[in-house]
Every structure is written in C-alpha cells, then in structure tokens.
Amino acid sequence: DEIIKNAAAYIHYLRWIDSKDPIDYETQISLYKYLVTRYPDSPLTDRNRLWLIYSSVERRNGLMIIQECQSYIKDNPKSVHVDQIKTALADGFMVLNKFDDALNIYKDLADNGVTPNARVEAAYRIGDVAFARNDYAGAIKAYKEALVKFPAMTGVYPNAYFNMAEALFRKREFKDSLETFINFLTAFPDHE
C-alpha cells in the first residue's frame, strides 16, 4: 500500500506538471497526506511532509503552508530543515498579508537561525516585509543593514537593490532612487 501510493502520488505530480490539471494536483496532495497520516514512522514520511510544504509554497496556498509548517515544526523541532520550514512559514504569512507574523519569524531567524544561510536570508527578507506593507523607510533601513552586514551575499538577493530603489522612488527621493537602480543594473545586468 505504501509503495504503491507513493508511486501513484509521484505519477499524479508528473501528470500535473505536464497538464496543469488541478485534479492531478489535488490527488497527489491527498495521497501524500494519506501517507503521512497512515505511515508516520516510515522513512519516507519526512520527505512526504516536506513535499506537502513545498508544494503549497509553489502554489502560494498560504493557509496550507502555515498548517503544514506549524505541524512539521511542532513534530520535528530539531530537524535539519527547521530553518527552511520557518522561512516557508513566514512566506505563508506573507501570502495572507500577516506581515507582523512574518516579520517576527524573520527576526527570530536572523538572530537565532541554525544555519548561516538562514540568518542571511532572513536579514534580507525583513526588508521584503517592510516593502510589502508599504513601509518604505523601514524597507530602506532593513535592506541597507543587510547589505552592510552581509555584503558578500548581495549577488544572491537582487531584490534588495531593486526594492530599495523602488522604495526611494515612492518616497520621492529620486536622485537616490536613480543611483540605486543604476547599482542594481550594474550588479545584475542580465536580470530579467
């Protein structure tokens, strides 16, 4: 049962990739949820739970992201994936415009993240939260702090320059905005 349902779930996923038929997507989700519930001690359960989380992130299903992430963190607080799951959880809150919840997670990750990459990403994402809530001064401040604290990672987060330039423009600081856009284009000339 477990082997066949895992194979069937993956086949429905592949069919969904080809056809984008929502029935295939929902079928694979239902099968993975069944597997997680029915076989909690299986070596595949952790993988299937992560699959559910990342599938919901890919589809921007905020409620499912939050539910799956909170459940995973509760059951696996020492997992090597906990920083990634917390980042996904913050993303789920962002999808639902729960900016304070997302900000609290990113601040916690920036200060206490287990992995260095999680701390860096969280520092940059704090600016994204401020930008999304139209707090342009807060976004500029957060991006500048991240750029100063982690200058080697500027090539990984082009949104820091772009969003900062946009925030400066919206604050009517046109000269600084133009300079920041030029910095963005200089650093990322091939960015779409």
Side-chain angles (χ1 to χ4, degrees), residues 25-189:
Y25 178 81
E26 292 303 326
T27 301
Q28 63 114 3
I29 293 297
S30 295
L31 286 167
Y32 282 126
K33 284 184 175 184
Y34 166 82
L35 288 162
V36 166
T37 305
R38 176 72 174 86
Y39 302 102
D41 298 323
S42 169
L44 292 174
T45 297
D46 196 51
R47 177 243 185 229
N48 291 343
R49 291 183 84 179
L50 293 171
W51 188 280
L52 287 168
I53 290 167
Y54 294 124
S55 291
S56 60
V57 169
E58 181 180 20
R59 292 279 302 236
R60 309 297 295 154
N61 183 339
L63 185 58
M64 186 172 162
I65 295 169
I66 292 167
Q67 290 171 336
E68 294 295 331
C69 288
Q70 287 176 335
S71 175
Y72 186 92
I73 292 168
K74 179 179 162 261
D75 295 342
N76 304 287
K78 301 291 184 197
S79 169
V80 297
H81 305 291
V82 76
D83 284 347
Q84 291 172 288
I85 302 305
K86 286 181 179 178
T87 300
L89 178 60
D91 189 48
F93 284 124
M94 290 289 290
V95 169
L96 297 177
N97 295 328
K98 299 281 197 174
F99 301 122
D100 290 336
D101 294 322
L103 184 60
N104 289 337
I105 292 168
Y106 285 135
K107 283 181 177 180
D108 179 58
L109 279 170
D111 295 336
N112 306 310
V114 177
T115 62
N117 286 345
R119 291 191 297 274
V120 172
E121 181 176 358
Y124 280 92
R125 298 285 179 217
I126 289 169
D128 292 349
V129 174
F131 187 80
R133 68 177 356 157
N134 300 326
D135 175 9
Y136 301 122
I140 293 164
K141 180 178 181 261
Y143 288 132
K144 284 182 178 179
E145 287 174 1
L147 290 166
V148 167
K149 191 171 181 180
F150 304 108
M153 299 303 286
T154 57
V156 178
Y157 301 102
N159 59 315
Y161 282 114
F162 190 86
N163 289 354
M164 186 166 37
E166 180 70 20
L168 287 162
F169 184 84
R170 291 185 183 200
K171 287 186 65 185
R172 307 189 62 79
E173 296 177 22
F174 300 122
K175 184 177 183 291
D176 291 339
S177 174
L178 178 61
E179 289 174 9
T180 308
F181 273 123
I182 290 170
N183 289 340
F184 170 79
L185 290 171
T186 303
F188 308 99

Side-chain angles (χ1 to χ4, degrees), residues 12 15-26 59:
H12 280 285
R15 286 177 51 169
W16 174 72
I17 290 295
D18 285 342
S19 69
K20 296 299 183 211
D21 185 344
I23 293 172
D24 285 317
Y25 178 81
E26 292 303 326
R59 292 279 302 236

